[in-house]
């Protein structure tokens, strides 16, 4: 069987095929298909092979074409992701991506959801007052939350952005570190700074920080406050205790929105202490205006190897849990045996 995908220009075909044809080679290696470029009055991509695989390849290539049409980079990671969704029958979800721009960075770069999971996460933040984003490293949990906060500030939907995270390694006791409060907590809050710098720009960030429009502080400094008209982000929430999580969530004031992010597989709390994020996921589900979104390894947007590392650790954890749950047989010696 053979199907054709029309393309509009040589530049578009070059983007779809990728450097050294790596994108189409990846598809050919995963499917029983042959992909080639045919020139004529209308340039087309021809895909030949068995019917099922050709249909999957055409769906994946169509998504890559849409990315190329809006000027986005088409790389192996995006090809792999599109192909995995099409193989699992979820290719239709790809249509929702690409057109939704969250915000424009200080350098003029659009920030968009790169996976279906990220798109759902962004939509939940828009619709709900409290959103819990749970999942592995590299899924964009914190970065997208910061982008949403900056967008809300630019639209004057809120008057302040408050970013916080627990300083677990120092037990929330930062006094022995040198310098003032800001220099003491900087090592713990660096990922939040990085996200703000990229979305807002260093000058705008410094100006808003000086005016008190942006506040970055350790979680311990949230106690006793009521936060009105704010966009509040709690990062690394897996390192909160249940008491700290309850304290944070009850700071929410009128006109505010809160996003809680964390990775339950990277908890730094002592084994005897339950994660506040884990407890919140269990007890807050089903409450109106609170959303819980769980990312998977397919939502990882860092190096492709990061996804494989996460999947390897998840497999190890499943096997370990299975071994621990397996009943231990005991044998009793009997007389005469």
């Amino acid at each position: 069987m053979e199907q054709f995908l029309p393309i509009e220009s040589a530049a578009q075909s070059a983007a779809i095929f990728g450097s050294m044809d790596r994108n189409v080679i990846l598809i050919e290696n995963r499917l029983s298909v042959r992909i080639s470029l045919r020139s004529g009055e209308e340039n087309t991509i021809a895909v030949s092979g068995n019917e099922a695989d050709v249909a999957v390849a055409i769906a994946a290539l169509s998504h890559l074409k849409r990315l190329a049409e809006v000027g986005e980079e088409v790389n192996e990671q995006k090809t792999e992701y599109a192909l995995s969704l099409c193989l699992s029958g979820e290719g239709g979800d790809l249509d929702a991506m690409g057109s939704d721009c969250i915000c424009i960075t200080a350098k003029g770069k659009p920030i968009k959801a790169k996976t279906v999971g990220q798109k759902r996460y962004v939509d939940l933040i828009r619709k709900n007052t409290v959103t819990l984003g749970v999942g592995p490293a590299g899924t964009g949990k914190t970065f997208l939350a910061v982008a949403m906060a900056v967008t809300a500030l630019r639209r004057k939907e809120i008057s302040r952005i408050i970013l916080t995270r627990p300083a677990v390694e120092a037990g929330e006791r930062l006094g022995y570190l040198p310098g003032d409060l800001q220099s003491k907590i900087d090592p713990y809050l660096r990922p939040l700074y990085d996200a703000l710098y990229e979305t807002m720009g260093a000058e705008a960030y410094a100006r808003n920080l000086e005016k008190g429009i942006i506040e970055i502080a350790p979680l311990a400094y949230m106690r006793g406050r009521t936060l009105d008209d704010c966009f509040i982000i709690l990062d690394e929430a897996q390192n909160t205790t249940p008491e700290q999580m309850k304290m944070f969530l009850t700071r929410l004031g009128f006109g505010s929105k809160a996003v809680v992010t964390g990775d339950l597989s990277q908890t730094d709390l002592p084994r005897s202490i339950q994660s506040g994020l884990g407890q919140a996921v269990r007890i807050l589900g089903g409450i109106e205006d609170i959303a819980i979104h769980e990312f998977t390894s397919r939502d990882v947007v860092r190096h492709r190897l990061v996804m494989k590392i996460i999947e390897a650790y998840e497999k190890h954890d499943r096997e370990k849990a299975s071994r621990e749950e397996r009943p231990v047989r005991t044998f009793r010696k009997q007389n005469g045996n």
Side-chain angles (χ1 to χ4, degrees):
M1 179 184 180
E2 190 171 47
Q3 286 191 24
F4 302 94
L5 178 68
I7 52 177
E8 298 172 2
S9 66
Q12 193 176 92
S13 65
I16 294 170
F17 273 68
S19 175
M20 304 294 290
D21 294 346
R22 287 192 178 97
N23 297 339
V24 296
I25 290 172
L26 189 155
I27 296 174
E28 289 177 334
N29 288 340
R30 291 282 300 275
L31 304 171
S32 298
V33 297
R34 176 68 180 169
I35 303 172
S36 59
L37 180 65
R38 296 190 178 177
S39 301
E41 292 183 2
E42 291 186 1
N43 291 329
T44 59
I45 295 176
V47 182
S48 58
N50 69 66
E51 184 175 356
D53 283 355
V54 167
V56 170
I58 287 290
L61 289 167
S62 296
H63 175 64
L64 301 185
K65 177 184 174 182
R66 286 191 293 271
L67 293 179
E69 286 173 343
V70 297
E72 289 198 28
E73 179 190 5
V74 183
N75 54 31
E76 290 177 81
Q77 184 180 31
K78 292 178 181 177
T79 303
E80 181 79 46
Y81 180 70
L83 186 58
S84 67
L85 283 187
C86 293
L87 280 168
S88 62
E90 303 172 86
D93 292 335
L94 290 167
D95 295 335
M97 296 166 50
S99 59
D100 184 8
C101 180
I102 300 169
C103 73
I104 303 295
T105 68
K107 296 181 179 179
K109 179 183 176 182
I111 296 177
K112 300 179 182 180
K114 296 182 178 180
T115 70
V116 173
Q118 288 189 350
K119 179 67 170 62
R120 291 171 181 164
Y121 175 59
V122 168
D123 289 341
L124 288 174
I125 293 175
R126 289 191 177 114
K127 295 176 183 177
N128 296 276
T129 299
V130 177
T131 303
L132 279 65
V134 184
T139 51
K141 303 182 297 295
T142 302
F143 184 78
L144 290 174
V146 170
M148 292 292 289
V150 171
T151 298
L153 182 65
R154 288 173 176 171
R155 293 176 177 173
K156 301 189 184 303
E157 296 171 359
I158 47 102
S159 60
R160 286 188 298 159
I161 297 175
I162 298 177
L163 309 177
T164 184
R165 67 189 302 187
V168 167
E169 293 85 349
E172 294 282 4
R173 293 184 292 272
L174 304 172
Y176 70 87
L177 293 174
D180 58 13
L181 171 63
Q182 200 65 43
S183 61
K184 292 176 191 292
I185 64 177
D186 273 354
Y188 303 101
L189 304 175
R190 178 53 54 187
L192 301 178
Y193 291 135
D194 292 344
L196 278 171
Y197 288 158
E198 184 165 348
T199 54
M200 185 175 283
E203 290 184 9
Y205 163 74
R207 185 169 59 252
N208 286 320
L209 186 66
E210 185 178 353
K211 292 179 179 178
I213 295 174
I214 294 177
E215 179 182 345
I216 304 179
L219 182 59
Y221 288 79
M222 296 295 107
R223 189 175 298 279
R225 303 176 63 182
T226 300
L227 304 173
D228 293 326
D229 198 27
C230 297
F231 197 116
I232 316 153
I233 300 173
L234 170 58
D235 191 32
E236 297 291 337
Q238 75 276 3
N239 289 329
T240 62
T241 64
E243 294 76 19
Q244 287 174 324
M245 178 61 74
K246 180 180 177 182
M247 179 274 291
F248 171 79
L249 292 173
T250 53
R251 301 307 94 202
L252 196 67
F254 293 105
S256 291
K257 187 182 287 284
V259 178
V260 178
T261 68
D263 179 2
L264 290 171
S265 70
Q266 295 192 25
T267 302
D268 298 315
L269 295 169
R271 290 182 178 273
S272 59
I273 299 179
Q274 181 184 15
S275 169
L277 177 61
Q279 184 189 68
V281 169
R282 289 192 297 273
I283 69 177
L284 297 180
I287 297 179
E288 186 179 357
D289 214 19
I290 296 179
I292 299 172
H293 179 73
E294 295 190 17
F295 291 91
T296 69
S297 58
R298 288 204 304 189
D299 295 307
V300 173
V301 293
R302 292 179 184 168
H303 192 283
R304 283 195 306 160
L305 196 57
V306 174
M307 180 175 68
K308 297 183 183 296
I309 291 170
I310 291 169
E311 290 174 345
Y313 272 94
E314 288 176 347
K315 180 182 178 182
H316 170 75
D317 291 341
R318 288 194 300 269
E319 292 174 349
K320 181 180 178 182
S322 178
R323 288 195 299 269
E324 291 175 349
E325 291 173 2
R326 195 176 300 153
V328 179
R329 295 183 179 180
T330 58
F331 296 90
R332 292 182 303 173
K333 290 184 178 181
Q334 297 181 2
N335 292 333
N337 293 335

